Amino acid sequence: MKILVTGGAGYVGSHAVLALRARGADVVVLDNLRQGHAAAVPAGVRLIEGDIGDAALLDPLLGEGFDAVLHFAALSLVGESMQKPMLYLRANAAAGMVLIEACLRHQVGRFVLSSTANLFAGGDAPLDEAAAIDPGSPYGESKWMLERALTWAGRTRGLKSVALRYFNAAGADPDGRLGEDHDPETHLIPLAIDAALGRRPELAIFGTDYPTPDGTCIRDYVHVSDLAEAHVRALERLAAAPEGAALAYNLGTGHGHSVRAVLAAVGRVAGRAVPAQEAPRRAGDPAILVASAARFMAETGWAPRFGDLDTIVATAHAWRVAHPGGYGG
Ligand code: UD1
């Protein structure tokens, strides 16, 4: 199988490249390296620096003949998308449609989209695929637009696709080859680890008056290597799917953890309490977001291998300790 991975130098994409290579796939990475890191692409994998919206680059590339495209490349900061909505709609939705169109021109049979829980407004019970779509930001909306585009690419042109809506991707490759390195870093677990390691000032707990048992937001943290494996399963699922199938699945562990529970886990793993201070709510955060991945599990046999919060945190912690400067240092 020859597979193009857009955003393959980024956090989730690079872990997916490892999973694909472990199955013997011939992988090519397309990444503009604005968020991604060349050092996250394994030796022997061709890295093409460029944009997903560049049709002049895509035509000769996809003309080589690819069985599938795994599409991770995106701007992914929810808060920034509220400040710059058109940037997100252009960079994620409009450019993503250029990519989908190129796939149609070059008979790419299968497409897997990295989608998001930001499609949902949240709820007390684990969210399955029947939950109402109500994107919380232009970021979420841009992913929903791509899901819709894939539905139409399937219905009219036969493209088979899967949208995987991840909840909170977290952790790092258990063998220590890859980790999480964002600039700026906005995610809870790496920030909490850095605070515990004394590399940052105290962590701000965004909101302590949510309608949850301890007043802080609850999220479903799913290990990035489990997400990577889910992409392999999604490709297998599509092989057996009818022409034009446009599938979508929610992906998480089914278990939620509050911000305070995450800080406690980081404290256990680091052997030091996370210095933290209560702060006002962050705009746009739903109180509770937990996935029901029951459909994906039933249809593909996938199950999280690293579902336990302490394991997720331990893998993230090991990578940050070994790479104080991220990929650059
Ligand atoms: C968000 C998006 C998700 C997106 C991801 C990519 C939502 C609902 N989810 O996840 O779709 O793919 O970003 O960036 O928008 N927190 C603190 N202090 C901090 C940082 C975070 O208390 O310094 C809290 C947040 O309020 C939240 C939890 O920790 O409750 C997790 O936050 P974060 O890691 O930023 O992920 P989400 O915002 O849940």
Side-chain angles (χ1 to χ4, degrees), residues 76-79 115-121 136-137 139-140 143 166-169 180 182 185-192 202-207 210 216-221 257-259 262-263 277 279-287 289:
S76 66
L77 297 177
V78 172
S115 189
T116 175
N118 196 248
L119 298 189
F120 304 111
S137 68
Y139 165 70
K143 296 288 188 170
Y166 328 143
F167 282 56
N168 289 61
E180 182 168 14
H182 292 114
E185 188 53 78
T186 61
H187 292 111
L188 177 62
I189 291 177
L191 289 177
E202 59 201 2
L203 184 105
I205 301 175
F206 295 147
Y210 284 99
T216 65
C217 286
I218 292 178
R219 294 287 180 273
D220 185 341
Y221 297 89
H257 303 281
S258 71
V259 173
V262 170
L263 299 190
Q277 182 159 336
R281 291 182 177 196
R282 183 175 68 178
D285 275 338
L289 268 179

CSV table of all heavy atoms in Angstrom, one decimal, residues 76-79 115-121 136-137 139-140 143 166-169 180 182 185-192 202-207 210 216-221 257-259 262-263 277 279-287 289, ligand 1:
chain,number,residue,atom,x,y,z
A,76,SER,N,-4.9,23.9,14.4
A,76,SER,CA,-5.8,23.2,15.4
A,76,SER,C,-6.0,23.9,16.7
A,76,SER,O,-6.3,23.3,17.7
A,76,SER,CB,-5.2,21.8,15.6
A,76,SER,OG,-3.9,21.9,16.2
A,77,LEU,N,-5.8,25.2,16.7
A,77,LEU,CA,-6.0,25.9,18.0
A,77,LEU,C,-7.4,26.5,18.0
A,77,LEU,O,-7.7,27.4,17.3
A,77,LEU,CB,-4.9,27.0,18.2
A,77,LEU,CG,-3.5,26.5,18.3
A,77,LEU,CD1,-2.5,27.7,18.4
A,77,LEU,CD2,-3.3,25.6,19.5
A,78,VAL,N,-8.2,25.9,18.9
A,78,VAL,CA,-9.6,26.4,19.0
A,78,VAL,C,-9.7,27.9,19.3
A,78,VAL,O,-10.4,28.6,18.6
A,78,VAL,CB,-10.3,25.5,20.1
A,78,VAL,CG1,-11.7,26.1,20.3
A,78,VAL,CG2,-10.4,24.1,19.6
A,79,GLY,N,-8.9,28.3,20.3
A,79,GLY,CA,-9.0,29.7,20.7
A,79,GLY,C,-8.6,30.6,19.5
A,79,GLY,O,-9.2,31.7,19.2
A,115,SER,N,-10.6,14.3,12.2
A,115,SER,CA,-11.7,15.2,12.6
A,115,SER,C,-11.6,15.4,14.2
A,115,SER,O,-10.6,15.1,14.8
A,115,SER,CB,-13.0,14.8,12.1
A,115,SER,OG,-14.0,15.7,12.4
A,116,THR,N,-12.7,16.0,14.8
A,116,THR,CA,-12.5,16.5,16.1
A,116,THR,C,-13.8,16.4,17.0
A,116,THR,O,-14.9,16.5,16.4
A,116,THR,CB,-12.0,17.9,16.1
A,116,THR,OG1,-12.0,18.4,17.5
A,116,THR,CG2,-13.0,18.8,15.3
A,117,ALA,N,-13.6,16.3,18.3
A,117,ALA,CA,-14.8,16.4,19.2
A,117,ALA,C,-15.3,17.8,19.3
A,117,ALA,O,-16.4,18.0,19.8
A,117,ALA,CB,-14.3,15.9,20.6
A,118,ASN,N,-14.6,18.7,18.7
A,118,ASN,CA,-15.1,20.1,18.7
A,118,ASN,C,-16.3,20.3,17.8
A,118,ASN,O,-16.9,21.3,17.7
A,118,ASN,CB,-14.0,21.1,18.3
A,118,ASN,CG,-14.3,22.5,18.6
A,118,ASN,OD1,-14.5,23.3,17.7
A,118,ASN,ND2,-14.3,22.9,19.8
A,119,LEU,N,-16.8,19.2,17.1
A,119,LEU,CA,-18.0,19.2,16.4
A,119,LEU,C,-19.2,19.2,17.4
A,119,LEU,O,-20.3,19.5,17.0
A,119,LEU,CB,-18.2,17.9,15.6
A,119,LEU,CG,-17.2,17.5,14.5
A,119,LEU,CD1,-17.7,16.3,13.7
A,119,LEU,CD2,-17.0,18.7,13.5
A,120,PHE,N,-18.9,18.8,18.6
A,120,PHE,CA,-20.0,18.6,19.6
A,120,PHE,C,-20.0,19.6,20.7
A,120,PHE,O,-18.9,20.1,21.1
A,120,PHE,CB,-19.9,17.2,20.2
A,120,PHE,CG,-19.9,16.1,19.2
A,120,PHE,CD1,-18.7,15.3,19.0
A,120,PHE,CD2,-21.0,15.8,18.5
A,120,PHE,CE1,-18.7,14.3,18.1
A,120,PHE,CE2,-21.0,14.7,17.6
A,120,PHE,CZ,-19.8,14.0,17.4
A,121,ALA,N,-21.2,19.9,21.2
A,121,ALA,CA,-21.3,20.9,22.3
A,121,ALA,C,-21.0,20.3,23.6
A,121,ALA,O,-20.9,21.0,24.6
A,121,ALA,CB,-22.7,21.6,22.2
A,136,GLY,N,-18.1,24.0,18.0
A,136,GLY,CA,-17.9,25.1,19.0
A,136,GLY,C,-17.0,26.2,18.5
A,136,GLY,O,-16.8,27.2,19.3
A,137,SER,N,-16.5,26.1,17.3
A,137,SER,CA,-15.6,27.1,16.9
A,137,SER,C,-15.4,27.0,15.4
A,137,SER,O,-15.8,26.0,14.8
A,137,SER,CB,-14.2,26.9,17.5
A,137,SER,OG,-13.6,25.7,17.0
A,139,TYR,N,-12.7,26.3,14.0
A,139,TYR,CA,-11.9,25.1,13.9
A,139,TYR,C,-12.8,23.9,13.7
A,139,TYR,O,-12.6,23.1,12.7
A,139,TYR,CB,-11.0,25.0,15.1
A,139,TYR,CG,-10.3,23.6,15.2
A,139,TYR,CD1,-9.4,23.2,14.3
A,139,TYR,CD2,-10.7,22.7,16.2
A,139,TYR,CE1,-8.8,21.9,14.4
A,139,TYR,CE2,-10.2,21.4,16.3
A,139,TYR,CZ,-9.2,21.0,15.4
A,139,TYR,OH,-8.7,19.8,15.5
A,140,GLY,N,-13.7,23.7,14.6
A,140,GLY,CA,-14.6,22.6,14.5
A,140,GLY,C,-15.4,22.6,13.2
A,140,GLY,O,-15.6,21.6,12.5
A,143,LYS,N,-13.6,21.4,10.2
A,143,LYS,CA,-13.6,19.9,10.1
A,143,LYS,C,-14.9,19.4,9.6
A,143,LYS,O,-15.0,18.4,8.8
A,143,LYS,CB,-13.2,19.3,11.4
A,143,LYS,CG,-11.8,19.7,11.9
A,143,LYS,CD,-10.7,19.0,11.1
A,143,LYS,CE,-9.3,19.2,11.7
A,143,LYS,NZ,-8.3,18.4,11.1
A,166,TYR,N,-11.5,12.7,17.0
A,166,TYR,CA,-10.8,12.4,18.3
A,166,TYR,C,-11.3,13.3,19.3
A,166,TYR,O,-11.5,14.5,19.1
A,166,TYR,CB,-9.3,12.6,18.2
A,166,TYR,CG,-8.5,12.4,17.0
A,166,TYR,CD1,-7.5,13.3,16.6
A,166,TYR,CD2,-8.8,11.4,16.1
A,166,TYR,CE1,-6.8,13.1,15.5
A,166,TYR,CE2,-8.1,11.2,15.0
A,166,TYR,CZ,-7.1,12.1,14.7
A,166,TYR,OH,-6.3,12.0,13.5
A,167,PHE,N,-11.2,12.8,20.5
A,167,PHE,CA,-11.5,13.6,21.7
A,167,PHE,C,-10.1,14.2,22.1
A,167,PHE,O,-9.4,14.7,21.2
A,167,PHE,CB,-12.3,12.8,22.7
A,167,PHE,CG,-13.8,12.8,22.3
A,167,PHE,CD1,-14.1,12.3,21.0
A,167,PHE,CD2,-14.7,13.3,23.1
A,167,PHE,CE1,-15.5,12.4,20.6
A,167,PHE,CE2,-16.1,13.4,22.7
A,167,PHE,CZ,-16.4,12.9,21.4
A,168,ASN,N,-9.6,14.0,23.2
A,168,ASN,CA,-8.3,14.7,23.5
A,168,ASN,C,-7.1,13.8,23.3
A,168,ASN,O,-6.8,13.0,24.2
A,168,ASN,CB,-8.3,15.2,25.0
A,168,ASN,CG,-9.3,16.4,25.1
A,168,ASN,OD1,-10.5,16.2,24.9
A,168,ASN,ND2,-8.8,17.6,25.5
A,169,ALA,N,-6.4,14.0,22.2
A,169,ALA,CA,-5.2,13.2,21.9
A,169,ALA,C,-4.1,13.6,23.0
A,169,ALA,O,-3.9,14.7,23.3
A,169,ALA,CB,-4.7,13.6,20.5
A,180,GLU,N,5.0,15.1,21.9
A,180,GLU,CA,4.2,16.2,21.6
A,180,GLU,C,5.0,17.5,21.7
A,180,GLU,O,5.6,17.7,22.8
A,180,GLU,CB,3.0,16.2,22.6
A,180,GLU,CG,2.0,17.4,22.4
A,180,GLU,CD,0.7,17.3,23.1
A,180,GLU,OE1,0.7,16.4,24.1
A,180,GLU,OE2,-0.2,18.0,22.8
A,182,HIS,N,4.3,21.3,20.6
A,182,HIS,CA,3.6,22.4,19.9
A,182,HIS,C,4.1,23.7,20.3
A,182,HIS,O,4.7,23.9,21.4
A,182,HIS,CB,2.1,22.4,20.4
A,182,HIS,CG,1.3,21.2,19.9
A,182,HIS,ND1,0.8,20.2,20.7
A,182,HIS,CD2,0.9,20.8,18.6
A,182,HIS,CE1,0.2,19.3,20.0
A,182,HIS,NE2,0.2,19.7,18.7
A,185,GLU,N,2.4,25.8,23.2
A,185,GLU,CA,1.7,24.7,23.8
A,185,GLU,C,0.5,25.2,24.5
A,185,GLU,O,0.6,26.1,25.3
A,185,GLU,CB,2.7,23.9,24.7
A,185,GLU,CG,2.1,22.6,25.2
A,185,GLU,CD,1.6,21.7,24.1
A,185,GLU,OE1,2.4,21.1,23.4
A,185,GLU,OE2,0.4,21.7,23.8
A,186,THR,N,-0.6,24.6,24.2
A,186,THR,CA,-1.9,25.0,24.9
A,186,THR,C,-2.5,23.8,25.6
A,186,THR,O,-3.5,24.0,26.3
A,186,THR,CB,-2.9,25.6,23.9
A,186,THR,OG1,-3.2,24.5,23.0
A,186,THR,CG2,-2.3,26.8,23.2
A,187,HIS,N,-2.1,22.6,25.4
A,187,HIS,CA,-2.8,21.4,26.0
A,187,HIS,C,-2.4,21.2,27.4
A,187,HIS,O,-1.3,21.4,27.9
A,187,HIS,CB,-2.5,20.2,25.1
A,187,HIS,CG,-3.0,20.3,23.7
A,187,HIS,ND1,-2.3,20.5,22.6
A,187,HIS,CD2,-4.3,20.4,23.3
A,187,HIS,CE1,-3.1,20.6,21.6
A,187,HIS,NE2,-4.3,20.5,22.0
A,188,LEU,N,-3.4,20.6,28.1
A,188,LEU,CA,-3.3,20.5,29.6
A,188,LEU,C,-2.1,19.6,30.0
A,188,LEU,O,-1.4,20.0,30.9
A,188,LEU,CB,-4.6,19.9,30.1
A,188,LEU,CG,-4.6,19.6,31.6
A,188,LEU,CD1,-4.4,20.9,32.4
A,188,LEU,CD2,-6.0,19.0,32.0
A,189,ILE,N,-2.0,18.4,29.4
A,189,ILE,CA,-1.0,17.4,30.0
A,189,ILE,C,0.4,17.9,29.8
A,189,ILE,O,1.2,18.0,30.8
A,189,ILE,CB,-1.3,16.0,29.4
A,189,ILE,CG1,-2.6,15.5,30.0
A,189,ILE,CG2,-0.1,15.1,29.7
A,189,ILE,CD1,-3.1,14.1,29.5
A,190,PRO,N,0.8,18.4,28.6
A,190,PRO,CA,2.2,18.9,28.5
A,190,PRO,C,2.5,20.1,29.4
A,190,PRO,O,3.6,20.2,30.0
A,190,PRO,CB,2.4,19.2,27.0
A,190,PRO,CG,1.1,19.1,26.4
A,190,PRO,CD,0.2,18.3,27.3
A,191,LEU,N,1.5,21.0,29.5
A,191,LEU,CA,1.7,22.2,30.3
A,191,LEU,C,1.8,21.7,31.8
A,191,LEU,O,2.7,22.3,32.5
A,191,LEU,CB,0.5,23.1,30.2
A,191,LEU,CG,0.4,23.9,28.9
A,191,LEU,CD1,-0.9,24.7,28.8
A,191,LEU,CD2,1.6,24.7,28.6
A,192,ALA,N,1.0,20.8,32.2
A,192,ALA,CA,1.1,20.3,33.6
A,192,ALA,C,2.4,19.6,33.9
A,192,ALA,O,3.0,19.8,35.0
A,192,ALA,CB,-0.1,19.4,33.9
A,202,GLU,N,3.3,28.2,37.5
A,202,GLU,CA,2.2,27.3,37.8
A,202,GLU,C,1.1,27.2,36.7
A,202,GLU,O,1.0,28.1,35.9
A,202,GLU,CB,1.5,27.8,39.1
A,202,GLU,CG,1.0,29.2,39.0
A,202,GLU,CD,0.8,29.8,40.4
A,202,GLU,OE1,1.1,29.2,41.4
A,202,GLU,OE2,0.4,31.0,40.4
A,203,LEU,N,0.4,26.1,36.8
A,203,LEU,CA,-0.6,25.8,35.8
A,203,LEU,C,-1.9,26.6,36.2
A,203,LEU,O,-2.3,26.5,37.4
A,203,LEU,CB,-0.9,24.3,35.7
A,203,LEU,CG,-1.9,24.1,34.6
A,203,LEU,CD1,-1.3,23.5,33.4
A,203,LEU,CD2,-3.1,23.2,35.1
A,204,ALA,N,-2.6,27.2,35.2
A,204,ALA,CA,-3.9,27.8,35.5
A,204,ALA,C,-5.0,26.8,35.3
A,204,ALA,O,-5.0,26.2,34.2
A,204,ALA,CB,-4.1,29.0,34.6
A,205,ILE,N,-5.8,26.6,36.3
A,205,ILE,CA,-7.0,25.7,36.1
A,205,ILE,C,-8.1,26.6,35.6
A,205,ILE,O,-8.6,27.4,36.3
A,205,ILE,CB,-7.4,25.0,37.5
A,205,ILE,CG1,-6.2,24.2,38.0
A,205,ILE,CG2,-8.6,24.2,37.3
A,205,ILE,CD1,-6.4,23.6,39.4
A,206,PHE,N,-8.5,26.3,34.3
A,206,PHE,CA,-9.5,27.2,33.7
A,206,PHE,C,-10.9,26.8,34.1
A,206,PHE,O,-11.6,26.0,33.5
A,206,PHE,CB,-9.4,27.1,32.2
A,206,PHE,CG,-8.1,27.6,31.6
A,206,PHE,CD1,-7.6,27.0,30.5
A,206,PHE,CD2,-7.4,28.7,32.2
A,206,PHE,CE1,-6.4,27.5,29.9
A,206,PHE,CE2,-6.3,29.2,31.6
A,206,PHE,CZ,-5.7,28.6,30.5
A,207,GLY,N,-11.4,27.4,35.2
A,207,GLY,CA,-12.8,27.2,35.7
A,207,GLY,C,-12.9,26.1,36.7
A,207,GLY,O,-12.4,25.0,36.5
A,210,TYR,N,-17.7,24.5,37.1
A,210,TYR,CA,-18.5,23.7,36.1
A,210,TYR,C,-19.4,22.7,36.9
A,210,TYR,O,-19.0,22.3,38.0
A,210,TYR,CB,-17.5,23.0,35.2
A,210,TYR,CG,-16.9,23.9,34.1
A,210,TYR,CD1,-15.6,24.3,34.3
A,210,TYR,CD2,-17.6,24.2,33.0
A,210,TYR,CE1,-15.0,25.2,33.3
A,210,TYR,CE2,-17.0,25.0,32.0
A,210,TYR,CZ,-15.8,25.5,32.2
A,210,TYR,OH,-15.2,26.3,31.2
A,216,THR,N,-14.2,21.1,37.8
A,216,THR,CA,-13.4,21.4,36.7
A,216,THR,C,-13.9,20.5,35.5
A,216,THR,O,-14.6,19.5,35.6
A,216,THR,CB,-11.9,21.1,37.0
A,216,THR,OG1,-11.7,19.7,37.2
A,216,THR,CG2,-11.4,21.9,38.2
A,217,CYS,N,-13.4,21.0,34.3
A,217,CYS,CA,-13.9,20.3,33.0
A,217,CYS,C,-13.4,18.8,33.0
A,217,CYS,O,-12.3,18.5,33.4
A,217,CYS,CB,-13.3,21.0,31.8
A,217,CYS,SG,-14.0,22.6,31.5
A,218,ILE,N,-14.3,18.1,32.3
A,218,ILE,CA,-14.0,16.6,32.1
A,218,ILE,C,-13.7,16.4,30.7
A,218,ILE,O,-14.5,16.8,29.8
A,218,ILE,CB,-15.1,15.8,32.7
A,218,ILE,CG1,-15.2,15.9,34.2
A,218,ILE,CG2,-15.0,14.3,32.3
A,218,ILE,CD1,-16.3,15.1,34.9
A,219,ARG,N,-12.7,15.7,30.4
A,219,ARG,CA,-12.3,15.3,29.0
A,219,ARG,C,-11.9,13.8,28.9
A,219,ARG,O,-11.5,13.2,29.9
A,219,ARG,CB,-11.1,16.1,28.5
A,219,ARG,CG,-11.3,17.6,28.4
A,219,ARG,CD,-12.2,18.0,27.2
A,219,ARG,NE,-12.5,19.4,27.1
A,219,ARG,CZ,-13.5,20.0,27.7
A,219,ARG,NH1,-14.3,19.4,28.5
A,219,ARG,NH2,-13.7,21.3,27.5
A,220,ASP,N,-12.0,13.3,27.7
A,220,ASP,CA,-11.7,12.0,27.4
A,220,ASP,C,-10.3,12.0,26.7
A,220,ASP,O,-10.2,12.3,25.5
A,220,ASP,CB,-12.7,11.4,26.5
A,220,ASP,CG,-12.6,9.9,26.2
A,220,ASP,OD1,-11.5,9.4,26.4
A,220,ASP,OD2,-13.6,9.3,25.7
A,221,TYR,N,-9.2,11.6,27.5
A,221,TYR,CA,-7.9,11.6,27.0
A,221,TYR,C,-7.6,10.3,26.3
A,221,TYR,O,-7.7,9.2,27.0
A,221,TYR,CB,-6.9,12.0,28.1
A,221,TYR,CG,-7.1,13.4,28.6
A,221,TYR,CD1,-8.0,13.6,29.7
A,221,TYR,CD2,-6.5,14.5,28.0
A,221,TYR,CE1,-8.3,14.9,30.1
A,221,TYR,CE2,-6.8,15.7,28.5
A,221,TYR,CZ,-7.7,15.9,29.5
A,221,TYR,OH,-8.0,17.2,30.0
A,257,HIS,N,-11.9,12.4,32.6
A,257,HIS,CA,-11.1,12.8,33.7
A,257,HIS,C,-11.1,14.3,33.9
A,257,HIS,O,-11.0,15.0,32.9
A,257,HIS,CB,-9.6,12.4,33.5
A,257,HIS,CG,-9.5,10.9,33.3
A,257,HIS,ND1,-9.5,10.0,34.3
A,257,HIS,CD2,-9.3,10.2,32.1
A,257,HIS,CE1,-9.4,8.8,33.8
A,257,HIS,NE2,-9.3,8.9,32.4
A,258,SER,N,-11.3,14.8,35.1
A,258,SER,CA,-11.4,16.2,35.3
A,258,SER,C,-10.0,16.8,35.3
A,258,SER,O,-9.0,16.1,35.3
A,258,SER,CB,-12.0,16.5,36.7
A,258,SER,OG,-11.1,16.1,37.7
A,259,VAL,N,-9.9,18.1,35.1
A,259,VAL,CA,-8.6,18.8,35.1
A,259,VAL,C,-7.9,18.4,36.4
A,259,VAL,O,-6.7,18.1,36.4
A,259,VAL,CB,-8.8,20.3,35.0
A,259,VAL,CG1,-7.4,21.0,35.2
A,259,VAL,CG2,-9.4,20.6,33.6
A,262,VAL,N,-6.4,15.0,36.2
A,262,VAL,CA,-5.2,15.0,35.4
A,262,VAL,C,-4.0,15.5,36.2
A,262,VAL,O,-2.9,15.0,36.1
A,262,VAL,CB,-5.4,15.8,34.1
A,262,VAL,CG1,-4.1,16.0,33.3
A,262,VAL,CG2,-6.4,15.1,33.2
A,263,LEU,N,-4.2,16.6,36.9
A,263,LEU,CA,-3.1,17.2,37.7
A,263,LEU,C,-2.6,16.2,38.7
A,263,LEU,O,-1.4,16.0,39.0
A,263,LEU,CB,-3.5,18.5,38.4
A,263,LEU,CG,-3.9,19.6,37.4
A,263,LEU,CD1,-4.1,20.9,38.2
A,263,LEU,CD2,-2.9,19.8,36.3
A,277,GLN,N,-3.0,27.1,40.0
A,277,GLN,CA,-3.8,28.2,40.6
A,277,GLN,C,-5.1,28.2,39.9
A,277,GLN,O,-5.2,28.0,38.6
A,277,GLN,CB,-3.1,29.5,40.3
A,277,GLN,CG,-3.8,30.7,40.9
A,277,GLN,CD,-2.9,31.8,41.1
A,277,GLN,OE1,-1.7,31.7,41.3
A,277,GLN,NE2,-3.5,33.0,41.1
A,279,ALA,N,-8.3,29.7,38.0
A,279,ALA,CA,-8.4,30.8,37.1
A,279,ALA,C,-9.8,30.8,36.5
A,279,ALA,O,-10.5,29.8,36.7
A,279,ALA,CB,-7.4,30.7,36.0
A,280,PRO,N,-10.2,31.9,35.9
A,280,PRO,CA,-11.6,31.9,35.3
A,280,PRO,C,-11.7,30.9,34.2
A,280,PRO,O,-10.7,30.4,33.6
A,280,PRO,CB,-11.7,33.3,34.7
A,280,PRO,CG,-10.6,34.1,35.3
A,280,PRO,CD,-9.5,33.1,35.7
A,281,ARG,N,-12.9,30.6,33.8
A,281,ARG,CA,-13.2,29.7,32.7
A,281,ARG,C,-12.5,30.2,31.4
A,281,ARG,O,-12.4,31.4,31.2
A,281,ARG,CB,-14.7,29.6,32.4
A,281,ARG,CG,-15.5,28.9,33.5
A,281,ARG,CD,-16.9,28.8,33.0
A,281,ARG,NE,-17.7,28.1,34.0
A,281,ARG,CZ,-18.9,27.6,33.8
A,281,ARG,NH1,-19.5,27.8,32.6
A,281,ARG,NH2,-19.6,26.9,34.7
A,282,ARG,N,-12.1,29.3,30.5
A,282,ARG,CA,-11.6,29.7,29.2
A,282,ARG,C,-12.8,29.6,28.2
A,282,ARG,O,-13.6,28.7,28.3
A,282,ARG,CB,-10.6,28.6,28.8
A,282,ARG,CG,-9.9,28.9,27.4
A,282,ARG,CD,-8.8,27.9,27.1
A,282,ARG,NE,-9.3,26.6,26.9
A,282,ARG,CZ,-8.5,25.5,26.6
A,282,ARG,NH1,-7.2,25.7,26.4
A,282,ARG,NH2,-9.0,24.3,26.4
A,283,ALA,N,-13.0,30.7,27.4
A,283,ALA,CA,-14.2,30.8,26.6
A,283,ALA,C,-14.2,29.6,25.7
A,283,ALA,O,-13.2,29.1,25.1
A,283,ALA,CB,-14.1,32.0,25.7
A,284,GLY,N,-15.4,29.0,25.5
A,284,GLY,CA,-15.7,28.0,24.6
A,284,GLY,C,-15.5,26.6,25.1
A,284,GLY,O,-15.7,25.6,24.3
A,285,ASP,N,-15.1,26.4,26.3
A,285,ASP,CA,-14.8,25.0,26.9
A,285,ASP,C,-16.2,24.4,27.3
A,285,ASP,O,-16.8,24.9,28.3
A,285,ASP,CB,-13.9,25.1,28.1
A,285,ASP,CG,-12.4,25.1,27.7
A,285,ASP,OD1,-12.1,24.6,26.6
A,285,ASP,OD2,-11.6,25.5,28.5
A,286,PRO,N,-16.6,23.3,26.7
A,286,PRO,CA,-17.8,22.6,27.3
A,286,PRO,C,-17.4,21.9,28.6
A,286,PRO,O,-16.2,21.6,28.8
A,286,PRO,CB,-18.1,21.5,26.2
A,286,PRO,CG,-17.2,21.8,25.0
A,286,PRO,CD,-16.1,22.7,25.5
A,287,ALA,N,-18.4,21.7,29.5
A,287,ALA,CA,-18.1,21.1,30.8
A,287,ALA,C,-17.5,19.7,30.6
A,287,ALA,O,-16.6,19.3,31.3
A,287,ALA,CB,-19.3,21.2,31.7
A,289,LEU,N,-16.8,16.4,27.9
A,289,LEU,CA,-16.7,15.8,26.6
A,289,LEU,C,-16.1,14.4,26.7
A,289,LEU,O,-14.9,14.3,26.9
A,289,LEU,CB,-15.8,16.6,25.7
A,289,LEU,CG,-16.4,17.8,24.8
A,289,LEU,CD1,-15.3,18.5,24.1
A,289,LEU,CD2,-17.5,17.2,23.9
B,1,UD1,C1,-9.4,21.2,22.2
B,1,UD1,C2,-10.5,20.9,21.3
B,1,UD1,C3,-10.2,19.7,20.4
B,1,UD1,C4,-9.1,20.1,19.6
B,1,UD1,C5,-7.9,20.3,20.5
B,1,UD1,C6,-6.8,20.8,19.7
B,1,UD1,C7,-12.6,21.6,22.4
B,1,UD1,C8,-13.8,21.2,23.1
B,1,UD1,N1,-11.7,20.6,22.1
B,1,UD1,O1,-9.3,20.3,23.3
B,1,UD1,O2,-11.3,19.5,19.6
B,1,UD1,O3,-8.8,19.0,18.7
B,1,UD1,O4,-8.2,21.4,21.5
B,1,UD1,O5,-6.0,21.8,20.2
B,1,UD1,O6,-12.5,22.7,22.0
B,1,UD1,N2,-7.0,23.4,30.8
B,1,UD1,C9,-6.6,24.1,31.9
B,1,UD1,N3,-5.5,24.8,32.0
B,1,UD1,C10,-4.6,24.9,30.9
B,1,UD1,C11,-5.0,24.2,29.7
B,1,UD1,C12,-6.1,23.5,29.7
B,1,UD1,O7,-7.4,24.1,32.9
B,1,UD1,O8,-3.6,25.6,31.0
B,1,UD1,C13,-8.2,22.7,30.7
B,1,UD1,C14,-9.2,23.1,29.6
B,1,UD1,O9,-10.0,24.1,30.1
B,1,UD1,C15,-9.9,21.8,29.3
B,1,UD1,C16,-8.8,20.7,29.6
B,1,UD1,O10,-7.9,21.3,30.4
B,1,UD1,O11,-10.9,21.6,30.2
B,1,UD1,C17,-8.2,20.2,28.3
B,1,UD1,O12,-7.8,21.3,27.5
B,1,UD1,P1,-6.9,21.2,26.2
B,1,UD1,O13,-5.8,20.3,26.5
B,1,UD1,O14,-6.6,22.6,25.8
B,1,UD1,O15,-7.8,20.5,25.2
B,1,UD1,P2,-9.3,20.8,24.7
B,1,UD1,O16,-9.6,22.3,24.8
B,1,UD1,O17,-10.3,20.0,25.6
